Amino acid sequence: MIFNKIYGILKLIRINNLLIASVCCLTYTYILNEIQNDNLFYILGTIIFLGSGGNIINDVFDIKIDLINRPQRILPKKIITLKEAKIYSFIFFALGLSCTFFLPITSQLIACIYVMPALILYSPVFKNKPLIGNVIIASILGSVFLFTESALKGHIINTWLIFFFAFGISFLRELIKDMEDYIGDKKNNIFTFPVLYGLKKSKYLYIFLASFFIVFTIFPIFLKPNI
C-alpha cells in the first residue's frame, strides 16, 4: 500500500519533468560558473517543490478532463484521492516558498509573485482562454532560467535569449497537447485554440509558429561578425 502511494505521488508530481527542470538548472549553473554557490540547494528546492505543487493542483482541477483524455493518470485511477492531492499540493507549495526565503529578492519575486500564482490559477482561469494559457505555461517553464540566474547572481542579464528559446519550445509543446486533448476539452467546455477554431487551423498555426521559431533560432548565426 505504501509503495502505491509513493508511486502515485511521484507520478502526480511528474517526477520526470522535475528532473529535466533540475538538470537544466544545474547545467545553467555550471555555465555561469556558480556550481559551488550556496544558494543552489534552495534554488533546486524551489523549482522542485513549486513544480510539484503546480503539477498536482493542475491535475486536481483537470480530473474531469483527464477521465476522458488521460484515464491512466493517478487521480482518475484513484490511487490518490482528491483530498490527499490537495494536501500534498499545499505542503509542496509551502516547502517551495520556504526555500525562497534564503534567496535574493529578485528571485523571490519571480517565484512568489508570478510563478506560484500562475501555477495555481492556470487550470481554473487561464486554460480556458485560447493561447493565453499556453503563454502562461511556456513563460513558467522559461522562467526556470530567469529564476536561476537571479538566485545565483541577484540580477538577470544573460538569460533572456535562453528564456525566449525555452518559451518557444514550450509554447509549441503546449499547442500540441491542446490538439491531443481536443475531445476531452470540448466535452468539458474548455475553450482552447483547437476547440474554438478546429484542429486544421491549429495545425496551420503550429506550422507557422514552428517555422518562425526555427528562423528566430538560427538568425543570430548570420549576425555573428566575421573574425
Side-chain angles (χ1 to χ4, degrees), residues 120-129:
I120 295 173
L121 295 175
Y122 167 69
S123 287
V125 177
F126 299 116
K127 185 175 182 178
N128 204 31
K129 294 176 172 54

Side-chain angles (χ1 to χ4, degrees), residues 35 39 58 66 82 89 91 119 123 129 137 148 150 156 158-159 166 177 187-188 205 212 226:
I35 202 67
N39 287 341
N58 178 67
D66 287 341
L82 272 176
S89 180
I91 292 172
L119 287 170
S123 287
K129 294 176 172 54
I137 291 297
T148 298
S150 65
I156 302 172
N158 303 307
T159 317
K177 287 173 62 180
K187 287 185 177 180
N188 286 277
L205 176 64
F212 176 82
N226 295 325

Side-chain angles (χ1 to χ4, degrees), residues 37-43 46 95-105 107-108 151:
N37 193 301
D38 293 337
N39 287 341
L40 183 57
F41 174 81
Y42 300 108
I43 295 170
T46 302
L95 289 171
L97 285 178
S98 298
C99 288
T100 65
F101 294 159
F102 302 92
L103 299 175
I105 185 64
S107 55
Q108 290 179 2

Side-chain angles (χ1 to χ4, degrees), residues 23-174:
V23 169
C24 289
C25 171
L26 288 170
T27 302
Y28 192 53
T29 301
Y30 178 78
I31 292 172
L32 293 174
N33 197 28
E34 295 283 349
I35 202 67
Q36 294 182 333
N37 193 301
D38 293 337
N39 287 341
L40 183 57
F41 174 81
Y42 300 108
I43 295 170
L44 288 172
T46 302
I47 291 172
I48 292 171
F49 291 137
L50 290 187
S52 297
N55 288 333
I56 294 174
I57 203 66
N58 178 67
D59 280 5
V60 169
F61 283 115
D62 284 356
I63 187 168
K64 290 183 179 180
I65 301 172
D66 287 341
L67 286 170
I68 299 172
N69 289 333
R70 295 181 174 85
Q72 76 281 3
R73 281 190 171 174
I74 299 303
L75 293 183
K77 290 175 69 174
K78 298 183 179 180
I79 295 176
I80 289 178
T81 66
L82 272 176
K83 182 178 180 180
E84 289 173 332
K86 291 176 182 178
I87 293 172
Y88 294 145
S89 180
F90 176 82
I91 292 172
F92 282 126
F93 277 133
L95 289 171
L97 285 178
S98 298
C99 288
T100 65
F101 294 159
F102 302 92
L103 299 175
I105 185 64
T106 308
S107 55
Q108 290 179 2
L109 292 174
I110 293 173
C112 303
I113 303 301
Y114 178 68
V115 172
M116 195 176 86
L119 287 170
I120 295 173
L121 295 175
Y122 167 69
S123 287
V125 177
F126 299 116
K127 185 175 182 178
N128 204 31
K129 294 176 172 54
L131 299 185
I132 294 178
N134 306 71
V135 169
I136 294 293
I137 291 297
S139 64
I140 290 174
L141 295 174
S143 68
V144 168
F145 296 98
L146 299 180
F147 172 77
T148 298
E149 184 183 10
S150 65
L152 292 170
K153 300 283 193 178
H155 55 66
I156 302 172
I157 296 177
N158 303 307
T159 317
W160 289 107
L161 189 60
I162 298 175
F163 166 80
F164 286 117
F165 181 79
F167 175 90
I169 293 177
S170 302
F171 186 90
L172 292 172
R173 176 176 174 268
E174 290 301 310

